[in-house]
Amino acid sequence: MSRFFVTTPIFYVNAKPHLGHAFTTILADAMTRFHRLMGEECFFLTGTDEHGDKIAKASEEAGQSPKEYADQISGLFRDMGPLLGAKPDHFIRTTDPEHIKCVQKVLQKVYESGDIYFGEYGGHYCFGCERFYTEKELVNGMCPDHKTRPEYIAEKNYFFRMSKYQAWLIEYINQNPDFIRPARYRNEVLSLLESGALEDLCISRPKSRLTWGIELPFDQDFVCYVWFDALINYVSALNYPRGEKFKKFWPVANHIVAKDILKPHAVFWPTMLKAAGLAPYQSLNVHGYWLVRDTKMSKSLGNVVSPKQMVDAYGISAFRYFLLREMAFGSDASFTEEALVGRLNADLANDLGNLFNRVLSMTHKYFEGKVPSPAAETEEDAELKRLGRDAMRNFQGHFAEFRTARALESLWELVRALNKYIDTAAPWTLFKNKDKARLGTVMYMLLEHMRKIAVHLWPVMPEASVKMLEQLGCCFDLDKVQLAKEPEVWGLLDSGLAVSPTSNLFPRVDVPEPAPPAAPEALAAPAADAEAPKAKAAEPKKKAPAKTAEAPVGPAESIEFADFQKLDLRVGTVLSAAKHPDADKLLVVQVALGEAEPRQIVAGLADRFSPEDLTGKQVVVVANLAPRKLRGLMSQGMILVAKDAEVTRLLTSAGTVDDGGKVA
RNA sequence: GGCGAGGUAGCUCAGUCGGUCAGAGCAUGCGGCUCAUAUCCGCAGUGUCGGGGGUUCAAUUCCCUCCCUCGCUACCA
């Protein structure tokens, strides 16, 4: 028996479930149901990722233990499944004892094989950033982001020898076209791997700094850090190494992730598996983001879409259908209620729902609500069957490769063809003419095709599918359905079955007001109080800036005075300048800006200026530009120049100004 | 700057190993039917298939170049 194993990422418990989580889960559920219908033995895994600094800190703020905190948020994710009609076979948590043991087992194994080593790491650690800075990166000894003095931590850590497997991974990806799909992400990973040396992965944190993690089996003073812990869920959930499930399902592992976690899944994970002596997963399937209209969803914008609210408003079926129909595999998609309602009305209410209603109604008018027996078929019938067969084949082909949008598009060719067939065959005329034989054939053609459609829709809209089948007098039996054969076989709908007199599965819905600027808050507010476990009441009010959607179509791009005021332009004197040791276009310039210390600015001027050209000159500097490391050296500003097609000149003051003098 | 993916009807997109390939859905207009959830069916469109150049008997489809968008990345700041 062939098998199928699908996973969602385990969701980090630092935020509540949103549209993105919902989509991944629905996609995984739909794929599972599809493969079940194809007669395969399936396993659908999801869960939560619960360790790390962020959780430790958040729980502290909430006055809870990390575990209590994680329990709460994890519960929200666990509850999300039923809310969406999704039925995972297992919900794993990285705090599960079995998972912890498994992670340690893998660590031990890799450690013993020599691919984990102890090495120096770090230096200046900023707790705000949760990361180390090198001396060069610091700004006056301060963290460039937080302007606080990082703590110097001379700390050693364990590293995974990821670099060792770079060549192997490139080769493997080249040999297996479907390993990462769609191809655009495969290309992205390949270019990433081929563009430079892969660095080893730091996989530990000393307990002195972080205790909320899994202890390293070979060193009790350290806990395991992030990805090594999280990724292993995919095998720990299968009871690796001894589990029966592991043997059955690991060879057919299909991961689903959003594009933001491509690298860990496409690079870290396969090399970890290789190091641990495991085969790579079968495929990594990468989908895009759901944008809200055309903007990235984010808490600060207050435009986070609550899945629960959408399901409550439009129903699970419409919600699932919309998501799976609207997002082209791999690409970003746009979520709006108008678009959802558009799909609901056009595809579900008008095309599919109305088809069911009109055919069922006619079956009652003409055949006392019983499925008639078909008589001889005409060429028209044969043509419809061919079209139906192709539509179902295409549906299955696309669905198997995660292209749900294309799959549904294909199936709808059949839906539309049936509506057209009704018009052409005109059952009401046949009825008037008392042509019962032909009428029965026509109705049977319709009813049997509707049954096929209903079956194919089970992965997408399980409950609606079951209801459609019930309306046709059938009851859904997973064990009896053979989806793979549906395109080819005919006549599975028994004559004589009693069908419903009407159908109203997908009532039309009024188009919502196109969301005005106030809408983001309207969306976010109920979501916030609905579950709000940690009630961050103090969170600053989410001010949705009057943004792009409303932007006036002014002719030139003008800015307000306030925008200009954001720039802190200062005059400063160049104390010294030197070539960047590791770059030939960059100069490292020290500029006195009247501050305690001179500023170090890395400027891309080396091709037009020599260090001598700058030294001693007064220059205009953008003083509040976010610091940025350039080729290893921190740059704390930008030196302005004026240029035309031919020459580049330093921008300076006509007469001497005190260092730090403001440009206004 | 480099690499990658794209720029096709008002909108969302499909498609072409070069020759009925100029398409679908939505939206718009007109017509038809009456079984139906003011639903369904038909017809009508508009498009220099991003700009320019080249190869060819023939290019939207191949090559070159330029412009724009998105992603990753960089010695952009």
Side-chain angles (χ1 to χ4, degrees), chain A residues 549-561:
Chain A
E550 283 286 287
V553 281
E557 287 181 43
S558 59
I559 61 170
E560 295 300 324
F561 181 66

Side-chain angles (χ1 to χ4, degrees), chain A residues 180-418:
Chain A
I180 299 168
R181 56 190 178 186
R184 53 199 296 190
Y185 295 108
R186 179 172 179 270
N187 295 340
E188 203 171 303
V189 172
L190 278 173
S191 79
L192 184 144
L193 286 170
E194 283 162 351
S195 69
L198 211 52
E199 290 190 0
D200 289 345
L201 193 62
C202 178
I203 58 157
S204 68
R205 284 290 179 273
K207 276 196 189 164
S208 54
R209 222 150 43 63
L210 174 70
T211 55
W212 184 234
I214 298 176
E215 191 175 277
L216 298 187
F218 41 81
D219 193 333
Q220 299 180 347
D221 293 332
F222 291 84
V223 295
C224 178
Y225 189 60
V226 288
W227 288 106
F228 222 92
D229 170 1
L231 289 163
I232 287 172
N233 93 85
Y234 298 132
V235 294
S236 75
L238 299 176
N239 306 323
Y240 169 80
R242 288 197 191 75
E244 190 61 25
K245 276 196 283 225
F246 178 75
K247 285 197 197 76
K248 282 162 70 168
F249 291 113
W250 183 245
V252 290
N254 287 260
H255 298 310
I256 296 176
V257 297
K259 63 184 184 183
D260 57 331
I261 48 175
L262 174 62
K263 187 174 175 181
H265 282 80
V267 179
F268 300 176
W269 184 220
T271 55
M272 284 166 58
L273 287 164
K274 178 74 176 165
L278 295 179
Y281 49 80
Q282 184 173 71
S283 76
L284 178 66
N285 302 280
V286 187
H287 69 249
Y289 290 142
W290 277 99
L291 308 178
V292 176
R293 203 163 298 277
D294 54 7
T295 313
K296 195 171 167 179
M297 198 165 41
S298 81
K299 263 197 243 175
S300 54
L301 283 178
N303 65 351
V304 176
V305 175
S306 155
K308 176 166 169 31
Q309 211 176 7
M310 291 302 109
V311 166
D312 288 346
Y314 302 104
I316 295 181
S317 288
F319 186 58
R320 287 175 63 117
Y321 175 81
F322 174 76
L323 295 182
L324 294 171
R325 172 66 185 80
E326 197 77 3
M327 178 177 269
F329 183 45
S331 307
D332 292 349
S334 165
F335 186 95
T336 66
E337 280 190 71
E338 300 95 278
L340 193 160
V341 170
R343 286 279 175 212
L344 172 55
N345 284 342
D347 296 359
L348 297 181
N350 294 354
D351 288 351
L352 180 64
N354 186 49
L355 170 69
F356 265 69
N357 197 35
R358 64 197 302 210
V359 172
L360 294 178
S361 165
M362 284 190 278
T363 307
H364 272 262
K365 278 206 169 110
Y366 308 146
F367 292 101
E368 291 83 45
K370 303 273 168 53
V371 176
S373 302
E377 287 174 11
T378 65
E379 179 49 32
E380 273 178 320
D381 301 340
E383 198 174 316
L384 177 65
K385 280 162 80 168
R386 278 195 294 275
L387 188 152
R389 184 199 57 198
D390 291 345
M392 288 182 272
R393 282 181 182 168
N394 290 337
F395 175 93
Q396 293 180 16
H398 286 130
F399 216 91
E401 306 211 302
F402 293 77
R403 291 189 298 263
T404 57
R406 292 287 203 87
L408 286 166
E409 215 176 331
S410 298
L411 194 63
W412 249 251
E413 284 175 21
L414 175 56
V415 173
R416 279 190 282 270
L418 293 182

Side-chain angles (χ1 to χ4, degrees), chain A residues 492-504:
Chain A
L492 296 185
L493 183 70
D494 292 332
S495 298
L497 289 175
V499 304
S500 298
T502 58
S503 173
N504 194 20

